[in-house]
């Protein structure tokens, strides 16, 4: 059997091109129906009652008044008397009713008596944390000796708080039963794996659970499971005998449906006279809510740093458990590491780019980073414009430049794809993946069109449904590799079958034939050919259908990328307000399928990064234990006019393409926190130790006051 | 939202009659009230819609007197060339509401009488946010956006975009109620509640704000807001100044801080310091220092003292047309 | 603050649709400000005794125009324009995200002006004309702004997109080639999570859409 591969660069019509996303028109006209837009006949609305206390025991729960209300169909107790609640916002009961307003009325009628217990929600000061767990110490080399003889050492305490996923479409689903069969319109990143989880919880065969997600309004790592509200929604629908729509209210979405763990660390790092890193000692801690959190990988990127010791403490808090947030652990590790290295460069009197370059042998891909640092510096006019800290300054507004490097894996996940060629020439792919906004639908179509030599409008892609062949959840930048590989394998196999049928007519061997430009013809003699339609007609009466898989043979994908980002900021030193002037991203991701969508991923990463660098944080109240900003008013996302000018350089072409397809969703969101923090330090001459870089923190740093606000 | 009744009066008299009943609340642009109802912060039995009430909407510039109806939207005011030319600082204050949707919906009266954004208040802990045993949740909790000039137990801040400027101008509020019309200085619309039952405005049951009237001749005003985001974001601090008298000397200076105290905070000492003085970087800096004298920052809002100083300095600079 | 609960419903109060629509037509007064401003005397001659009647909390008849079609429906006063559109009329382009007048995903045009539909009661929009993103264009006949969103990849998950499209159309109708402060003022009230601002900037820079249909 022939092997699987991507076409050579000069033969690519679709791959690497910039076609617009296929679902653009339905989205920009509002015609796209998201799971929360589904309004099936007889629909009931469900709402969830949550606990207002961060730690409490349910003493008594009385639902009788709610049950008696007109329009209420089902009242369901989720956690009954005696249950211990561990975070504010945890689910206590649910109601399905004829309208949302009636369901909310019913929630207010449910009487719950709580015994309120002590809570702990602010992990910055770990010494006060009950239940903090030390995760042990790891050491390599002799850090103490290395510090003792080092030329320069810096010591910093740094950190970033928990933050929210803030998916615009809240978590939730519409559940409809037909006998024992359940249909779920879910806002999920995992159509192929959700059914089994629903089935287990509900006691029905997985084959009787249908999951559909044609469109969904953002997940970022928080939408991989049915969640308790999914199971409750299905139970309500079963009891009511009617479809039930249950989507979280915004405050619930912010509080329980996804957060990124915090990360704090006291770090010492040292270098020798040549500016080579020689020692590292970090004592980190953080929280991902009640489960605490694992260790962030320190030192980040420069992981071959000799003489290092790392300790970590996991701090549980009375907050809902964290979830995978775009590039789990990396933004935190990147900030903690790059900020310390940046301060060390300053201590050494070195340009930070020079300092990083001197130490690239401590990274996993020195050549990539060296090339990327060069390109990024050029784009930023770094050599002409960068100035050391502590320079003479005039006026309130100070400018600064900062740099950071990052890495990610991005190997394609397991994926299956059915490709069918119909005798009339129609080509379609069916795949149990989902388009979470990254453009999966479009790139699968491009692979199809490329393989068969067709235009995008001549192929059809069906996804977002678990009746299609199983494909992995969209997380960890694994989708693009997974779906393009499975699609390419299926498409190449299907094409070969077609060519076997066409070859006799063209008096050629199948291996001599090419499918390009809407035709099938003999390689080297394009006059000997037929249109694609005629070619397809040769297959006889029945369509050809082939399944392709990933992983599989052929070098279609790989993993492991590097990226460099530079931030340029303006800081008003009289107000502490930071404004982004410019963000530059240099990123590699192997073979790019859709240049436009790839760039959009990087722009999106930069923008999300500006958000957590400047604005975003969970603000838990030490007094009540509740989140004080479970809304979009004081939980602040970056707006259109807050992100400055964005420039992206994709590392593509010879030397990069040969590696095949590698995921891109995560890497660009890793560096912004570090690059922006470094730019602010460059502008104002001191490190602001905590993210986000809010005016209070900036002014505290300028005034020489440490510590979180 | 809980169920409520709805009435849409056509005249001020009808509105006053409807609002005199307990449990009735005036509905203007809705951008604040609907959120309060959704969050179940304030119980309401009936909304009295002011959108169709005659005589509450519009702008008149009569010599040096600017009259603005309470139901005038912020966008209508922003688009009124005469008003903006007479009082350019209005544009700054309105543009601080960086959302066309809010400017189109929000009204002048609604801006002046919107309820505090204090996150304890909005979560049902009351305006004073006291625990059952009388401790302040604000001082013990997260107070980064709270008052640096608390008044008794009140530690929220007045969020109005227009109030500091109107107070600095010495504008009057026109109020209609069961007893007819009364006029009062805009600053007298506000009070710092000292009990859980009191509100932060001084309107009596049945009273509605009909509009405001200000003399805009012979003075120079400016507004400076410190906002973290350029997109829609509450100011962290705001200052409004009005200077009367011919340049360079200010015969009289009025300096008012927003987002600093439970009411628009008149920095009287700072104003007095400048009155009769020439504005120089020295006198302006002295006024900025005087404006924050007596500030009582809490655990997390010390930075707002610095912001207040800066806002005063920059507002004075803009008003005087000087580089600060 | 607890008081008498008002229980009249539309039918018993005799609160007719016609008088209701008049009550909502404040726009008629916008030109006639020469007399009566702030005096409390304006409109006295036109006073309609019915207007002081209270309707609700039960369903009230409301008539409004949505994307060119007139709809009559009975809604409780507490139903927001957004929820009425989405749940009662199945007009699901406008999205419910923050539901507190901050994020912009529910942006629609009311008589041509951009508003947050989550913060308007549907009863307050009675007698008015509402244009949602679906009313600007359809996949086969896109409004220029919608086409520009596609061309510039100004959308990822697409959930903020309907609100952004409407806000952008409103901005460009007002300022066909907006300055930076005008962009700040015009698009500061919409937020995206995926990070599509680069594309939206390109849409605005293209200056397309100098006319909003349906408004």
């Amino acid at each position: 059997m022939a092997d699987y591969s991507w076409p050579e660069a000069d033969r690519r019509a679709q791959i690497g091109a910039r076609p617009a996303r296929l679902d653009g028109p339905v989205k920009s006209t509002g015609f796209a129906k998201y799971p929360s837009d589904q309004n099936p006949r007889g629909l009931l609305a469900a709402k969830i009652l949550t606990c207002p206390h961060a730690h409490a025991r349910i003493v008594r729960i009385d639902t009788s008044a709610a049950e008696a209300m007109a329009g209420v169909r089902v009242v369901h107790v989720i956690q009954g008397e005696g249950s211990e609640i561990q975070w504010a916002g945890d689910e206590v009961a649910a109601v399905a009713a004829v309208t949302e307003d009636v369901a909310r009325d019913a929630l207010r009628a449910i009487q719950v008596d709580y015994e309120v217990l002590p809570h702990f929600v602010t992990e910055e000061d770990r010494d006060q944390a009950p239940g903090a767990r030390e995760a042990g110490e790891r050491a390599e080399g002799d850090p103490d000796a290395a510090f003792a003889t080092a030329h320069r050492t810096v010591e910093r305490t740094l950190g970033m708080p928990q933050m929210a996923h803030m998916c615009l479409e809240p978590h939730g689903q519409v559940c409809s039963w037909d006998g024992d069969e359940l249909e779920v319109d879910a806002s999920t990143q995992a159509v192929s794996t959700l059914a089994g989880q629903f089935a287990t919880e509900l006691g029905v065969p997985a084959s009787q659970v249908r999951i559909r997600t044609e469109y969904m309004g953002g997940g970022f790592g928080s939408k991989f499971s049915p969640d308790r509200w999914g199971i409750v929604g299905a139970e309500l629908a079963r009891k009511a005998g009617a479809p039930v729509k249950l989507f979280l209210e915004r405050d619930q979405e912010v509080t329980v449906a996804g957060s990124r763990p915090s990360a704090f660390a006291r770090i010492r790092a040292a270098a020798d006279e040549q500016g080579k890193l020689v020692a590292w000692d970090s004592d980190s801690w953080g929280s991902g809510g009640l489960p605490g959190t694992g260790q962030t990988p320190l030192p980040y990127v420069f992981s071959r740093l000799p003489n290092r010791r790392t300790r970590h403490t996991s701090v549980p808090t009375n907050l809902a458990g964290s979830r995978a947030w775009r590039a789990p652990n990396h933004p935190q590790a990147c900030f903690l590491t790059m900020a310390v290295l940046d301060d060390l460069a300053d201590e050494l009197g070195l340009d930070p780019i020079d300092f990083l370059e001197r130490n690239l042998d401590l990274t996993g891909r020195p050549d990539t980073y060296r090339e990327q640092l060069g390109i990024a510096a050029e784009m930023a006019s770094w050599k002409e414009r960068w100035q050391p800290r502590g320079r003479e300054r005039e006026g309130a507004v100070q400018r600064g430049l900062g740099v950071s490097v990052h890495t990610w894996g991005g190997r394609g996940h397991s994926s299956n794809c059915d490709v069918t060629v119909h005798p009339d020439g129609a080509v379609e792919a069916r795949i149990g993946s989902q388009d979470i906004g990254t453009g999966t639908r479009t790139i699968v179509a491009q692979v199809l069109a490329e393989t068969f030599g067709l235009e995008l409008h001549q192929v059809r892609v069906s996804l977002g449904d678990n009746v299609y062949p199983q494909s992995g959840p969209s997380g960890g930048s694994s989708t693009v590799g997974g779906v393009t590989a499975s699609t390419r394998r299926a498409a190449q196999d299907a094409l070969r079958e077609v060519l076997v049928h066409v070859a006799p007519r063209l008096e050629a061997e199948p291996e001599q034939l090419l499918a390009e430009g809407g035709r099938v013809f003999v390689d080297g003699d394009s006059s000997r050919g037929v249109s694609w339609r005629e070619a397809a007609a040769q297959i006889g009466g029945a369509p050809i259908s082939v399944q392709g898989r990933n992983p599989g043979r052929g070098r279609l994908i790989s993993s492991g990328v590097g990226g460099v980002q530079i931030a340029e900021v303006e800081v008003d030193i009289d107000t502490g307000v930071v404004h982004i002037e410019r963000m530059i991203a240099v990123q590699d991701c192997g073979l790019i399928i859709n240049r436009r969508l790839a760039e959009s991923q990087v722009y999106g990463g930069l923008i999300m990064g500006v958000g957590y660098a400047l604005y975003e944080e969970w603000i838990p109240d030490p007094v009540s234990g509740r989140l004080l900003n479970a809304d979009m008013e004081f939980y602040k996302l970056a707006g259109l006019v807050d992100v400055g000018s964005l420039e992206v350089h994709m590392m593509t072409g010879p030397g990069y393409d040969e590696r095949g397809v590698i995921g891109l969703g995560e890497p660009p969101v890793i560096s912004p926190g570090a690059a922006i923090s470094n730019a602010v330090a460059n502008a104002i001459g001191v490190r602001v130790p905590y993210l986000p870089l809010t005016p209070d923190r900036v002014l505290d740093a300028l005034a020489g006051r440490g510590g979180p606000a | 939202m809980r169920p409520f009744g709805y009435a849409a009066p056509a005249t001020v008299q009808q509105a006053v009659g409807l609002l005199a009943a307990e449990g009735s609340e005036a509905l203007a642009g809705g951008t604040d009230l609907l959120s309060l109802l959704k969050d179940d912060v304030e119980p309401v039995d009936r909304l009295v819609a002011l959108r169709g009430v005659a005589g509450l909407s519009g702008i008149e510039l009569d010599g040096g007197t600017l009259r603005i109806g309470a139901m005038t939207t912020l966008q209508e005011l922003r688009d009124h060339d005469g008003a903006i030319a007479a009082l350019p600082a209005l544009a700054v204050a309105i543009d601080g509401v960086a959302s066309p949707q809010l400017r189109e919906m929000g009204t002048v009266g609604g801006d002046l009488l919107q309820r505090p954004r204090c996150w304890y208040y909005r979560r049902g802990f009351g305006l004073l946010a006291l625990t059952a045993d009388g401790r302040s949740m604000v001082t013990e909790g997260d107070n980064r956006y709270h008052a640096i000039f608390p008044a008794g137990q009140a530690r929220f801040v007045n969020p109005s975009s227009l109030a500091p400027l109107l107070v600095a101008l010495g504008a009057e509020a026109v109020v209609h109620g069961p007893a007819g019309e009364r006029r009062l200085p805009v600053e007298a619309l506000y009070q710092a509640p000292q009990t859980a039952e009191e509100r932060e405005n001084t309107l009596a049951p049945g009273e509605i704000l009909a509009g405001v009237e200000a003399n805009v001749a012979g003075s120079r005003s400016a507004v400076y807001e410190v906002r973290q985001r350029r997109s829609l974001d509450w100011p962290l601090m705001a200052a409004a100044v009005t200077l009367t008298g011919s340049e360079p000397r200010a015969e009289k200076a009025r300096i008012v801080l927003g987002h600093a105290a439970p009411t628009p905070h008149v920095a009287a000492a700072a104003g007095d310091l400048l009155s009769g003085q020439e504005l120089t970087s020295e006198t302006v800096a002295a006024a900025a220092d005087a404006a924050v004298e007596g500030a009582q920052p809490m655990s997390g809002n010390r930075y707002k003292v610095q912001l207040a100083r800066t806002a005063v300095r920059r507002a004075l600079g803009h008003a005087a047309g000087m580089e600060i | 603050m607890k008081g008498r609960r008002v229980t009249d419903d539309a039918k018993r109060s005799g609160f007719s649709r016609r008088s209701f629509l008049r009550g909502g037509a404040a726009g008629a007064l916008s030109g006639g400000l020469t007399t009566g401003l702030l005096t409390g005397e304006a409109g006295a001659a036109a006073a309609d005794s019915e207007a002081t009647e209270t309707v609700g909390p039960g369903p009230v008849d409301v008539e409004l125009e949505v994307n060119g079609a007139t709809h009559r429906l009975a809604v409780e006063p507490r139903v927001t324009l957004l929820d009425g559109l989405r749940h009662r009329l199945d007009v699901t382009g406008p999205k419910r995200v923050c539901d507190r007048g901050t994020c912009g995903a529910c942006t629609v045009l009311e008589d041509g002006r951009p508003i947050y539909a989550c913060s308007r009661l549907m009863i307050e929009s009675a007698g008015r004309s509402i244009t949602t993103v679906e009313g600007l264009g359809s996949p086969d006949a896109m409004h220029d702004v919608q086409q520009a969103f596609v061309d510039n990849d100004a959308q990822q998950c697409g959930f903020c997109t309907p609100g952004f499209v409407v806000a952008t159309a409103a901005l460009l109708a007002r300022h066909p080639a907006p300055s930076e402060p005008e962009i700040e003022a015009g698009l500061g009230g919409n937020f995206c999570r995926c990070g599509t601002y680069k594309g939206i900037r390109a849409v605005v820079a293209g200056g397309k859409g100098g006319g909003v249909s349906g408004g």
Side-chain angles (χ1 to χ4, degrees), chain A residues 7 16 165 202 230 281-282 364 380 423 486 610 612 637 642:
Chain A
H165 289 70
L202 295 167
D281 186 350
S282 61
S486 64
V610 171
Y612 75 74
L637 299 181
D642 299 314

Side-chain angles (χ1 to χ4, degrees), chain B residues 96-121:
Chain B
V97 183
S99 154
Q101 297 92 330
L102 288 182
R103 293 193 305 274
E104 293 284 7
M105 302 178 81
T107 64
V108 169
D111 172 76
L112 291 171
L113 294 174
Q114 64 185 306
R115 310 302 309 276
R117 312 306 304 190
C118 166
W119 44 31
Y120 292 101
Y121 169 62

Side-chain angles (χ1 to χ4, degrees), chain A residues 43-126:
Chain A
L43 180 69
L44 299 177
K47 291 288 155 195
I48 290 184
L49 180 70
T50 61
C51 176
H53 307 293
H55 190 193
R57 187 170 287 106
I58 297 177
V59 175
R60 192 185 66 94
I61 180 161
D62 181 357
T63 59
S64 56
E67 281 161 27
M69 290 174 72
V72 172
R73 293 288 181 269
V74 184
V75 178
H76 176 84
V77 174
I78 300 170
Q79 299 195 71
E81 290 171 5
S83 302
E84 183 179 348
I85 306 284
Q86 294 276 20
W87 59 85
D90 199 13
E91 301 85 13
V92 173
V95 170
V98 290
T99 67
E100 278 190 299
D101 283 323
V102 173
R104 291 182 184 123
D105 291 343
L107 292 188
R108 281 193 296 269
I110 297 175
Q111 301 285 323
V112 189
D113 294 340
Y114 294 99
E115 177 196 351
V116 178
L117 303 170
H119 64 258
F120 176 79
V121 295
T122 47
E123 76 280 19
E124 293 98 303
D125 188 359
R126 69 176 151 175

Side-chain angles (χ1 to χ4, degrees), chain B residues 29-101:
Chain B
T31 59
D32 182 26
L33 184 54
L34 263 56
S35 290
L36 288 163
L37 298 179
K38 288 172 185 174
D39 290 330
D40 206 19
V41 175
E42 297 284 347
V44 166
D45 293 326
R46 174 173 62 190
L47 294 189
V48 179
L50 302 183
R51 219 180 171 192
V53 174
L56 292 184
S57 182
I59 301 149
E60 287 177 1
L61 192 56
D62 181 3
T65 302
L66 177 63
R67 230 168 268 126
I68 310 167
M71 285 299 289
T72 309
T73 67
L74 295 180
Q75 192 63 49
E76 286 165 350
L77 183 54
R78 183 66 178 83
D79 291 341
H80 194 281
D81 294 340
I84 299 298
L87 187 59
L90 265 181
V92 178
I94 294 170
D95 290 350
V97 183
S99 154
Q101 297 92 330

